[in-house]
Amino acid sequence: MHRSPMAPTPPAPVPAPSLVDTLFQRSLGDLVKFLRADPSAAGESTAVARALSEIHREIRAPDAATKATALQKLTYLSSLHFAPVASHPLAFPAIELIASPFLPHKRLAYLAASLSLHPASLSLLPLATHQLHKDLSPSTSAAASHNVSALALQLLASPAAAAAPDLAAHLAHDLLPHLSRGSPRAIAAAARVIAASPSAAVPILFKPLAACLASPDPRASTAAAAAFCELSAPPADAAPFLPLAPDLYNLLTTSRSNWALIKVLKVFGRLAPLESRLAARIVDPVCQLLARSAAMSLTFECIRTVLTALPAHDTAVCLAIGKAKEFLTAEDDPNLRYLGLLALGMLGPTYVSTVHECRDVIAQSLGDADSNIRREALHLMMGMIDRNNIMDIAGMLVSHAAKSDPEFANDILGAVLAACGHNVYELVSDFDWYVSLLTDMARSLHCAQGDEIGRQLVDVGLRVQDARPELVHSSRTLLIDPALLANHLLCPVLSAAAWVSGEYVNFTKDPVELVEALLQPRTSLLPMSVRAVYIQAVFKVITFCCNSYVERLSDSSKEVAVGLNGLSIDETVSEGRKAPLVSGDEQITVPSMMEKDPFSEKSIIHMIDLIETTVGPLFECNEVEVLERARNLIGFVHLIREVQELKESKVDDDEKHSWVKELVKNMQTVFSQEIGPVSLNAQEKVSLPVDIVLNETLAELDDIVSEDDTTPSSSILFYPRSHGSIENRNEPALSLGSSSLLSEHRKRHGLYYLPTGKTEDEPVDYPHANDPLLPASNESSLDDKSNTAQPVTGGKKLKAVKSRPKVVKLDGEDFLSSMVPSANVPKEDSLSGAVRGVLLDRDLKPSSSQKASDKAYEGIVNKMETGGSSSQWKNNVDAELVGHPTSSSRPSIQPSHEKESTNPLESDGKEVKEPKRHRRSSRGGHHQGKHKHRERHSTQPDVPQAPIIQDFLL
Amino acid sequence: MINFVLLISRQGKVRLTKWYSPYTQKERTKVIRELSGLILSRGPKLCNFVEWRGYKVVYRRYASLYFCMCIDADDNELEVLEIIHHFVEILDRYFGSVCELDLIFNFHKAYYILDEVLIAGELQESSKKNVARLIAAQDSLVEAAKEEASSISNIIAQATK
């Protein structure tokens, strides 16, 4: 009978379905078969599209039967195949057909309307108002009218009615006869109507609806209980339903329908907290139900009601807890176990001990096959944690994470990290334990919480002084493990471990091992941002070792007068000594007790060798951050080397050796300043100096601004590096460069700076804003960069008066958490991108190395201006410029300008003027340094670009 | 309150949807895609509740069909599980050991039965007998009307209209 699926269906511009259409129309069954003929997705969608176009035509047929079948098919497509109803308005034909006197059509139409009407098609619903009104009113044929009104009620109870308040208000009166009859449909519809337009419907419908609660017909009372349960649901206020309490109570004590009881209990659960007398009243019946009922759904509802609404009634709560525990131990029913856990989670803080009693069961549930149960158990576990049991629970959870599937393992780790880190480690009292727990977590199999673990490692280091030895120890175990380096999820942790090891290097037992770990070949697997941290850590370690050696030798030289005097300079310098020290195989004249000592010259030379072979190749690196740090480190190492060579050539130069000593000490001071957390409000607490004039002197800037600031480059000087504000803090050579830039900036815009008590001719010594005692100025740069007014922290450390170690905590606590993770974010793209572009455009190596050396050079030049420590910096210059003769002939150029500018030549031209103008006084020193370098250049070994053992890195 | 009812086959085909809260067509498609991914991937012997977007979805598998009902967070999960079973039993009684194909080809009947069981997201008839009786009465009325309409005289009257 039906048209072949393959038959072409004309687009039918004129919707005039003929009798043929009616006769050959596909029925719903045909449509379903047609759709199932090609189960592939493409086949189905074409079939749906074809059927839709067919229906589109058929549905306009004047013939009701054709229309009804089309509507039925459309309903099918829209509800199961989600055909777009908007383009094939289902609502209009449905409403047309609702008026049909023919029951099957009417039924189809109501079905279509109740399925398809939603707020988007509501504009059509008012068209149906009259028909609904007619269908709701009683007519002659009893049976038929019952059915018809049932259909109409069904439509009113559908979500469409809730969105059409007008319709509901108009039809409220029509519901009354049906309500009085106790029809569940009418009750549900009344509830919808009341919810849709309370102002219009409540006066009419509320009382009849309430009367249904007392209806002898259990269907009516159940439906009414459900209706009130829905009306009093949370977004609404339950208080207006308090007067219904007697009827509900009656239902509670007499009803035998579990369905009704559950609803009544729900309503009481909302009403009882509002009225304490009510709570006292319902306790007994609820307890009886709880004790007697065999239906688990009702039992659970009673438990929920007691635990949430009647927490003050101890006997009831105990009974409920007893039942909940039964649920927990239901071995064969995961549903009950889940609900048992859920019930325990509802217990208020007064019953924490009960939860503790169930700890074993909960712990067992952590290993349940069902992720819902596991998650709920974890939730309960976290709720149990307090200061006394945190070690137990967290330790247990972390060991459990190792056995769990990756997703849940990370849920566990995340929850433990959040709980322990909550409110600045409020719950943690043993930080040694916590630090080792953090490393355990990092090593845990599926750990993807590297960011947070890394953040907390650094954070604990900053805040908890007492934890640092353990922190360094734990970091060592992470760093020396080559297996971890390949795991990219752990990079943030390794980065933090490297930073911690470098920062608190004084707690390291074996610095040589640490350097070896930081420079092991597999570090090449690390992302560049982490490598930069590694290199920086090496820098700190080597500085520390040198300093320790120098210090100790100068100490011992007091005791053993002559012989060790020469030695004292030896490790780094030593001019008077004859024994050559360049390579490790040479005879060492240091006393034997020092040989295994990390601070012996042998081990220092070993470290230096290692650094040169592994860090040297990084000069080729494209990543500026790594490049820069590598250069800094190598520069320092060369400095030490050079001194050795001087010594070899037996140049006796006391001054030399004293300045090398000084150099090492100075480097050490660079790193020695404690870094603490910084309050969010720190900036505000810097008091405004009295003599600062904010408004008057701006005019003086004009000439400067017009000449120098036309390039946007000055802004880059203080661009907050997203890359490691903390790491940068201790980056000596970088800060040499940047502090010189800073001083440059300061010179130009001095009035924006807080007074330092020194003249601007000594820009490098400019101290922190209100902490003039801070030793070296080298750090100042990064404080400015990261906008952290560091000095303020000192006064802001809160002393926790507990047995636990002091944890530095500031008021603006979120600040750190937001700041620290950014340490691992790669450097800003625009900058590195621009640099990379420049590097790729022109001859790659010269410009890149030049840039770096320029930067260092600039810093050094500025350092020299300070006068006091000029001698040591001269050497620095030499070291930096070795192998880069081009830079010596160039005027100093601010590297950031070059980076920033897309046209370096142009910016060069501008910049050349500027230093001349401002640095006239320092020219002498500048040139001197350059000359010195030239003299020595020939004698220098060609170190930095020396062929490196490339394989070592791979 | 039940927000919606879904019947999904093991292959992820939708067999019946009924929405008791307003969802647009777009949302419906999204909900179904999300939930079928969530529920079909769950193994046997797990609990029948899934937490989803702040709601709970109670589901139960009968043969190749998953019956899913989405409820509010504070609704009674076990009760809904019973409702599902109740509905399945009624379907079974009506179709005579119901199978997926029955629902596919009689989708509107499945809707009529569901409408007798649930209204506005609440159970309205807890007696299986009653539901069966009501549905049978409706069917007979419809059949009577259809017979009347398809009588020869009626067809002639229509054709010559």
Side-chain angles (χ1 to χ4, degrees):
Chain A
M1 270 296 273
H2 64 90
R3 188 181 298 161
S4 149
M6 288 296 115
T9 42
V14 185
S18 60
L19 182 63
V20 180
D21 272 325
T22 313
L23 288 176
F24 295 106
Q25 188 183 23
R26 274 195 281 193
S27 71
L28 175 66
D30 299 330
L31 175 70
V32 173
K33 279 180 200 149
F34 177 47
L35 289 177
R36 285 166 64 83
D38 187 354
S40 73
E44 192 184 282
S45 64
T46 49
V48 168
R50 177 178 293 196
L52 275 178
S53 72
E54 206 176 278
I55 291 166
H56 196 54
R57 198 156 40 83
E58 291 168 2
I59 210 158
R60 302 191 198 178
D63 170 38
T66 313
K67 197 190 273 282
T69 309
L71 182 63
Q72 188 182 25
K73 290 192 283 186
L74 190 52
T75 310
Y76 178 84
L77 288 179
S78 83
S79 65
L80 297 190
H81 292 273
F82 302 99
V85 173
S87 60
H88 298 271
L90 184 51
F92 190 73
I95 285 167
E96 264 184 317
L97 275 180
I98 280 178
S100 163
F102 186 47
L103 184 62
H105 292 172
K106 205 188 241 318
R107 204 180 178 200
L108 280 176
Y110 270 114
L111 176 64
S114 71
L115 286 180
S116 68
L117 283 176
H118 55 77
S121 59
L122 268 185
S123 52
L124 288 173
L125 202 49
L127 296 177
T129 311
H130 176 67
Q131 190 56 43
L132 280 169
H133 176 70
K134 220 167 107 184
D135 286 347
L136 283 171
S137 53
S139 68
T140 45
S141 155
S145 104
H146 183 76
N147 270 301
V148 167
S149 59
L151 292 173
L153 290 170
Q154 190 85 45
L155 180 59
L156 268 182
S158 73
D166 289 349
L167 176 81
H170 284 128
L171 295 172
H173 278 289
D174 297 314
L175 284 175
L176 287 176
H178 299 281
L179 270 182
S180 62
R181 194 160 51 84
S183 149
R185 281 171 206 259
I187 291 168
R192 280 279 165 125
V193 168
I194 287 177
S197 55
S199 54
V202 165
I204 306 164
L205 292 175
F206 194 84
K207 274 197 176 165
L209 193 57
C212 290
L213 273 180
S215 163
D217 180 1
R219 291 167 69 231
S221 56
T222 305
F228 283 113
C229 178
E230 199 171 310
L231 287 174
S232 64
D237 181 15
F241 300 95
L242 268 175
L244 299 176
D247 283 336
L248 288 167
Y249 181 80
N250 200 26
L251 209 53
L252 181 67
T253 47
T254 59
S255 175
R256 295 176 161 230
S257 158
N258 287 346
W259 311 101
L261 287 171
I262 287 171
K263 298 294 174 192
V264 170
L265 282 170
K266 272 204 187 303
V267 182
F268 274 129
R270 289 168 195 146
L271 294 181
L274 303 172
E275 174 61 66
S276 57
R277 284 173 300 170
L278 184 62
R281 195 77 194 277
I282 61 168
V283 165
D284 283 342
V286 172
C287 286
Q288 278 175 18
L289 282 178
L290 194 52
R292 270 204 330 250
S293 173
M296 287 304 174
S297 53
L298 183 57
T299 309
F300 182 67
E301 199 55 49
C302 290
I303 294 174
R304 195 206 302 261
T305 309
V306 169
L307 296 185
T308 56
L310 310 169
H313 298 80
D314 285 338
T315 50
V317 173
C318 288
L319 189 61
I321 290 173
K323 286 281 180 187
K325 284 183 183 167
E326 280 176 31
F327 275 34
L328 275 183
T329 50
E331 287 300 325
D332 53 340
D333 192 342
N335 291 341
L336 293 188
R337 287 207 303 276
Y338 171 71
L339 293 175
L341 292 172
L342 218 55
L344 284 187
M346 292 174 202
L347 278 173
T350 37
Y351 292 96
V352 174
S353 58
T354 316
V355 184
H356 280 280
E357 285 167 26
C358 303
R359 196 173 133 181
D360 289 344
V361 188
I362 297 170
Q364 210 184 331
S365 303
L366 282 174
D368 201 279
D370 193 331
S371 59
N372 282 322
I373 294 179
R374 289 196 305 249
R375 208 172 307 128
E376 210 54 49
L378 177 62
H379 181 70
L380 281 172
M381 274 290 176
M382 300 326 290
M384 267 191 264
I385 284 189
D386 60 29
R387 195 167 290 182
N388 297 321
N389 61 17
I390 188 165
M391 291 172 74
D392 278 1
I393 293 184
M396 185 270 284
L397 286 175
V398 170
S399 64
H400 194 91
K403 296 180 277 181
S404 308
D405 62 293
E407 194 191 344
F408 188 57
N410 278 302
D411 283 353
I412 292 181
L413 296 183
V416 171
L417 283 171
C420 294
H422 177 68
N423 198 10
V424 198
Y425 316 103
E426 190 178 43
L427 297 174
V428 180
S429 46
D430 182 350
F431 277 90
D432 288 355
W433 163 79
Y434 187 53
V435 166
S436 60
L437 184 77
L438 282 175
T439 42
D440 285 351
M441 283 196 236
R443 288 169 162 279
S444 163
L445 193 56
H446 307 294
C447 175
Q449 305 281 339
D451 284 330
E452 178 63 11
I453 293 174
R455 187 192 76 78
Q456 291 202 4
L457 280 175
V458 172
D459 199 33
V460 167
L462 294 180
R463 289 170 190 274
V464 191
Q465 220 161 1
D466 295 1
R468 286 173 191 169
E470 176 61 26
L471 199 55
V472 170
H473 176 71
S474 299
S475 298
R476 172 191 164 271
T477 63
L478 289 174
L479 293 174
I480 60 171
D481 189 347
L484 300 181
L485 287 164
N487 184 350
H488 68 277
L489 292 172
L490 287 187
C491 286
V493 180
L494 292 176
S495 168
W499 185 82
V500 161
S501 304
E503 181 63 20
Y504 308 116
V505 61
N506 47 324
F507 296 112
T508 303
K509 291 197 184 84
D510 188 354
V512 180
E513 181 196 52
L514 180 60
V515 168
E516 282 168 352
L518 288 169
L519 295 176
Q520 60 185 299
R522 277 169 70 92
T523 51
S524 59
L525 298 170
L526 291 170
M528 283 306 175
S529 57
V530 180
R531 285 203 89 173
V533 180
Y534 266 58
I535 294 169
Q536 193 59 31
V538 171
F539 199 162
K540 290 178 191 171
V541 175
I542 189 78
T543 309
F544 172 75
C545 290
C546 292
N547 188 55
S548 308
Y549 184 57
V550 170
E551 267 177 13
R552 189 164 53 187
L553 287 186
S554 39
D555 284 352
S556 54
S557 67
K558 287 168 195 161
E559 296 152 25
V560 193
V562 188
L564 288 182
N565 189 27
L567 274 179
S568 70
I569 316 119
D570 213 322
E571 63 71 36
T572 51
V573 204
S574 124
E575 24 272 296
R577 278 191 40 128
K578 304 195 173 164
L581 284 169
V582 178
S583 54
D585 60 347
E586 277 166 78
Q587 189 206 351
I588 288 161
T589 51
V590 187
S592 60
M593 59 134 183
M594 283 190 174
E595 279 189 20
K596 286 200 168 179
D597 191 335
F599 308 128
S600 70
E601 74 180 62
K602 186 179 182 182
S603 49
I604 286 175
I605 286 170
H606 169 66
M607 281 191 262
I608 291 175
D609 288 343
L610 187 62
I611 290 168
E612 281 184 347
T613 43
T614 51
V615 179
L618 292 175
F619 277 29
E620 315 276 324
C621 178
N622 275 341
E623 172 68 36
V624 284
E625 198 70 23
V626 174
L627 182 79
E628 204 167 25
R629 292 176 190 216
R631 208 159 263 286
N632 293 335
L633 179 52
I634 293 290
F636 180 67
V637 166
H638 284 174
L639 217 57
I640 296 168
R641 270 268 195 258
E642 182 209 328
V643 172
Q644 279 178 351
E645 274 156 27
L646 277 183
K647 163 204 69 199
E648 262 173 62
S649 55
K650 299 175 190 173
V651 180
D652 194 20
D653 187 351
D654 276 342
E655 207 176 307
K656 225 41 332 144
H657 113 234
S658 73
W659 67 248
V660 166
K661 229 163 104 181
E662 209 175 326
L663 158 73
V664 170
K665 282 205 170 131
N666 267 311
M667 285 317 293
Q668 180 64 20
T669 49
V670 166
F671 294 135
S672 66
Q673 196 202 351
E674 174 113 345
I675 296 174
V678 179
S679 164
L680 196 57
N681 309 326
Q683 186 68 52
E684 295 166 17
K685 304 205 172 172
V686 179
S687 58
L688 194 68
V690 274
D691 54 343
I692 193 165
V693 185
L694 290 174
N695 300 323
E696 287 181 9
T697 48
L698 284 177
E700 292 174 15
L701 283 174
D702 282 352
D703 55 333
I704 305 171
V705 171
S706 56
E707 278 182 44
D708 300 324
D709 286 5
T710 42
T711 55
S713 52
S714 60
S715 65
I716 198 81
L717 296 180
F718 298 96
Y719 196 91
R721 298 191 182 209
S722 59
H723 190 292
S725 52
I726 286 193
E727 282 83 350
N728 279 349
R729 212 164 278 219
N730 288 349
E731 187 167 22
L734 170 63
S735 45
L736 287 187
S738 50
S739 71
S740 70
L741 295 179
L742 180 68
S743 64
E744 196 57 42
H745 190 266
R746 184 177 167 76
K747 242 194 248 175
R748 279 195 274 158
H749 307 296
L751 70 170
Y752 292 127
Y753 285 81
L754 299 180
T756 61
K758 303 191 179 191
T759 63
E760 286 184 356
D761 292 336
E762 301 167 340
V764 188
D765 285 337
Y766 120 83
H768 290 288
N770 59 0
D771 193 355
L773 297 177
L774 288 179
S777 60
N778 296 341
E779 294 189 50
S780 54
S781 56
L782 35 110
D783 284 320
D784 289 274
K785 278 186 206 159
S786 54
N787 289 330
T788 57
Q790 165 132 16
V792 184
T793 40
K796 295 201 66 268
K797 289 181 184 177
L798 302 181
K799 282 167 190 168
V801 268
K802 290 159 198 159
S803 62
R804 66 199 282 258
K806 188 177 76 178
V807 180
V808 180
K809 187 182 166 187
L810 306 164
D811 32 354
E813 265 321 326
D814 293 336
F815 176 61
L816 249 180
S817 55
S818 67
M819 183 187 83
V820 179
S822 70
N824 297 315
V825 176
K827 211 174 155 87
E828 62 269 31
D829 288 332
S830 56
L831 177 58
S832 55
V835 173
R836 221 166 269 143
V838 170
L839 294 184
L840 293 176
D841 273 354
R842 36 206 86 219
D843 42 346
L844 197 139
K845 267 189 240 164
S847 65
S848 69
S849 58
Q850 197 169 305
K851 214 170 292 161
S853 65
D854 280 352
K855 187 165 186 173
Y857 184 70
E858 170 92 356
I860 290 157
V861 166
N862 277 283
K863 279 286 171 195
M864 287 166 63
E865 293 167 11
T866 64
S869 56
S870 65
S871 58
Q872 87 203 37
W873 296 115
K874 274 184 232 159
N875 218 29
N876 207 351
V877 173
D878 297 335
E880 277 301 316
L881 294 183
V882 168
H884 309 297
T886 47
S887 59
S888 63
S889 59
R890 285 185 58 171
S892 58
I893 291 165
Q894 299 200 1
S896 54
H897 287 243
E898 192 171 322
K899 281 176 194 168
E900 176 77 336
S901 170
T902 48
N903 185 355
L905 288 178
E906 193 186 322
S907 73
D908 282 2
K910 279 178 188 160
E911 290 303 317
V912 169
K913 285 187 243 161
E914 184 264 320
K916 274 183 194 160
R917 226 161 41 87
H918 289 277
R919 259 191 242 134
R920 194 135 299 165
S921 61
S922 64
R923 274 283 149 187
H926 189 147
H927 285 300
Q928 195 182 353
K930 276 196 279 185
H931 291 316
K932 274 206 170 180
H933 154 66
R934 277 187 193 149
E935 286 163 19
R936 205 166 291 134
H937 180 52
S938 52
T939 67
Q940 287 292 334
D942 187 20
V943 194
Q945 259 91 8
I948 305 302
I949 313 154
Q950 204 70 27
D951 300 337
F952 190 54
L953 276 177
L954 303 173
Chain B
M1 169 188 147
I2 297 166
N3 292 297
F4 54 81
V5 177
L6 293 182
L7 266 64
I8 308 174
S9 77
R10 209 151 50 102
Q11 290 79 31
K13 293 267 184 207
V14 185
R15 295 306 179 204
L16 185 143
T17 58
K18 178 85 184 178
W19 309 84
Y20 296 105
S21 301
Y23 289 83
T24 64
Q25 200 79 342
K26 218 180 197 174
E27 288 167 342
R28 293 177 183 186
T29 328
K30 197 172 163 225
V31 163
I32 289 173
R33 204 174 40 236
E34 262 179 49
L35 277 182
S36 48
L38 198 62
I39 288 171
L40 299 183
S41 62
R42 283 174 67 86
K45 291 188 183 174
L46 301 184
C47 73
N48 296 91
F49 320 128
V50 182
E51 285 167 32
W52 171 77
R53 290 207 214 162
Y55 295 100
K56 280 194 182 132
V57 178
V58 181
Y59 73 94
R60 194 157 187 172
R61 183 177 162 181
Y62 291 89
S64 61
L65 267 189
Y66 285 84
F67 288 69
C68 318
M69 294 191 180
C70 172
I71 54 173
D72 296 330
D74 63 344
D75 275 331
N76 193 314
E77 296 89 344
L78 293 173
E79 181 201 13
V80 176
L81 214 48
E82 284 167 33
I83 292 178
I84 290 177
H85 191 65
H86 183 64
F87 177 48
V88 174
E89 280 185 332
I90 292 171
L91 285 177
D92 200 48
R93 201 174 279 198
Y94 181 80
F95 288 107
S97 72
V98 65
C99 68
E100 201 179 329
L101 276 180
D102 288 327
L103 300 182
I104 292 170
F105 284 99
N106 297 292
F107 102 105
H108 53 294
K109 288 193 175 163
Y111 273 110
Y112 295 143
I113 295 172
L114 184 60
D115 282 345
E116 293 299 329
V117 177
L118 288 177
I119 185 162
E122 302 285 357
L123 184 80
Q124 74 152 333
E125 182 53 75
S126 55
S127 152
K128 296 179 203 78
K129 248 186 218 165
N130 262 342
V131 175
R133 193 173 50 76
L134 284 168
I135 296 282
Q138 278 181 27
D139 280 354
S140 66
L141 267 174
V142 169
E143 284 309 312
K146 270 189 182 164
E147 261 171 39
E148 191 188 324
S150 60
S151 66
I152 294 179
S153 59
N154 220 319
I155 288 181
I156 292 170
Q158 276 220 326
T160 54
K161 213 180 331 186

